[in-house]
Amino acid sequence: MQLKRKGRHSASTERAAKSPRGRVVKAGIACLMAGGAMLATQLPGGAQAADNPYERGPDPTVASIEALRGPYAVSETSVSSLSVTGFGGGTIYYPTTRTDGTFGAIAISPGFTAYQSSIAWLGPRLASQGFVVFTIDTNTTLDQPASRGDQLLAALDYLTQRSSVRDRIDSSRLGVMGHSMGGGGTLEAAKDRPSLQAAIPLTGWNTDKSWPELRTPTLVVGADGDTIAPVSSHSEPFYTSLPSSLDRAYLELNNATHFTPNSSNTTIAKYSISWLKRFIDNDTRYEQFLCPIPRPNTAIAEYRGNCPHVS
């Protein structure tokens, strides 16, 4: 009986499809289905374009995130320490184009006794992937992590409110990075401003080892041969103290030292780009480089963390 009803339903449907009205309805349904499929393939995971308005640049590949330069041409402008308050000036790197809308922005602090030149390689490398990047000098080279955190925030405020590129920046999409005490300052900045979208301390140093209050997705980068900020007393406790519910990761560089982040480094660039893209741009195309969790290799001594949470 059930089969007979099913058969009548099929026959009725077939007759309706053969009628002029049925053909119109069927064609309309097909168009809607095709349109939906087309829209679903525009973004990974079937997300609609309206769900991901911050996507910038072509679909990423391993080659594209390991390259010395990304798809965007980059310009730069110097900022004198005499024209700003709260930090020591610096250099702004930004995508030259104006056709792709606004970009997220990142401020980067050097370490103890160092100048912006020590982290300058990150400026054009990250900017060419679709960010405005501000490598800063600190008020003095001896400034401690808490001060460097304040200066990173002052630099972001300058970028978004007073700089010559402020109209190129989406002020709701900001992040911080830093080396050594600048990495410690990165954690301080994220603690003071939970609205930040991403934080990346590079071989960070801080007397405060515990950061359970952080709400910013954080990638902690350590080095297995670091004798100035050994991972056992800095990067590892930084990471393990972060809330388990937070998007967090710990990357320990293999055959690396405290000063590895001061030179162009493919592993640092690859995972920093992926982290910044995923959490500043909400760009799920970059999850493939963060999940599954990367395995140890010649460049990575250890990687811990969780796959990015679905927002």
Side-chain angles (χ1 to χ4, degrees):
M1 198 69 174
Q2 184 178 6
L3 288 174
K4 189 174 181 180
R5 284 199 302 271
K6 187 175 181 181
R8 283 202 303 270
H9 179 264
S10 299
S12 175
T13 302
E14 184 178 352
R15 284 196 298 273
K18 288 180 179 179
S19 70
R21 181 180 178 186
R23 284 194 294 269
V24 171
V25 171
K26 186 176 182 182
I29 292 172
C31 287
L32 285 171
M33 291 176 67
M38 186 181 298
L39 187 58
T41 57
Q42 287 177 357
L43 296 173
Q48 295 183 4
D51 294 333
N52 201 358
Y54 309 125
E55 232 181 60
R56 299 290 183 269
D59 289 344
T61 63
V62 170
S64 74
I65 61 172
E66 291 185 348
L68 290 176
R69 293 293 181 270
Y72 288 98
V74 173
S75 299
E76 64 181 78
T77 184
S78 296
V79 178
S80 168
S81 61
L82 301 176
S83 64
V84 299
T85 57
F87 65 105
T91 304
I92 303 171
Y93 303 85
Y94 58 95
T96 305
T97 182
R98 284 188 176 273
T99 61
D100 284 5
T102 56
F103 296 91
I106 306 132
I108 309 178
S109 168
F112 188 65
T113 75
Y115 296 93
Q116 61 163 313
S117 58
S118 67
I119 38 99
W121 71 274
L122 285 162
R125 193 149 183 177
L126 298 180
S128 68
Q129 295 285 347
F131 297 102
V132 176
V133 183
F134 198 1
T135 58
I136 69 168
D137 278 317
T138 46
N139 290 323
T140 80
T141 60
L142 305 181
D143 291 337
Q144 297 297 296
S147 173
R148 289 170 191 266
D150 291 340
Q151 292 180 61
L152 283 167
L153 296 179
L156 287 177
D157 291 341
Y158 171 82
L159 260 186
T160 57
Q161 298 169 20
R162 295 180 50 211
S163 76
S164 61
V165 300
R166 61 188 180 277
D167 61 333
R168 298 174 181 267
I169 298 170
D170 180 344
S171 61
S172 69
R173 298 189 290 123
L174 305 176
V176 285
M177 297 177 67
H179 171 241
S180 191
M181 283 196 183
T186 295
L187 296 169
E188 299 277 1
K191 179 181 73 174
D192 292 343
R193 190 172 293 180
S195 62
L196 292 176
Q197 301 295 296
I200 306 178
L202 303 170
T203 59
W205 188 101
N206 200 312
T207 55
D208 186 350
K209 314 299 182 183
S210 185
W211 301 90
E213 65 272 60
L214 260 62
R215 297 295 179 266
T216 297
T218 301
L219 168 63
V220 178
V221 178
D224 62 350
D226 193 337
T227 58
I228 295 174
V231 294
S232 61
S233 57
H234 289 81
S235 291
E236 286 186 314
F238 295 163
Y239 167 76
T240 57
S241 71
L242 296 171
S244 59
S245 59
L246 185 68
D247 284 304
R248 60 176 185 162
Y250 171 70
L251 166 62
E252 186 175 314
L253 302 170
N254 194 33
N255 294 321
T257 73
H258 184 68
F259 299 104
T260 294
N262 291 155
S263 301
S264 180
N265 183 280
T266 297
T267 305
I268 291 174
K270 175 180 181 177
Y271 291 101
S272 294
I273 290 165
S274 300
W275 196 262
L276 297 168
K277 282 287 191 177
R278 175 59 184 85
F279 294 107
I280 290 182
D281 286 358
N282 299 330
D283 196 334
T284 56
R285 296 179 300 171
Y286 288 80
E287 283 189 9
Q288 61 183 299
F289 310 114
L290 303 171
C291 187
I293 299 299
R295 299 176 64 85
N297 55 39
T298 56
I300 298 174
E302 183 183 0
Y303 194 105
R304 283 184 264 169
N306 53 267
C307 290
H309 298 138
V310 178
S311 56

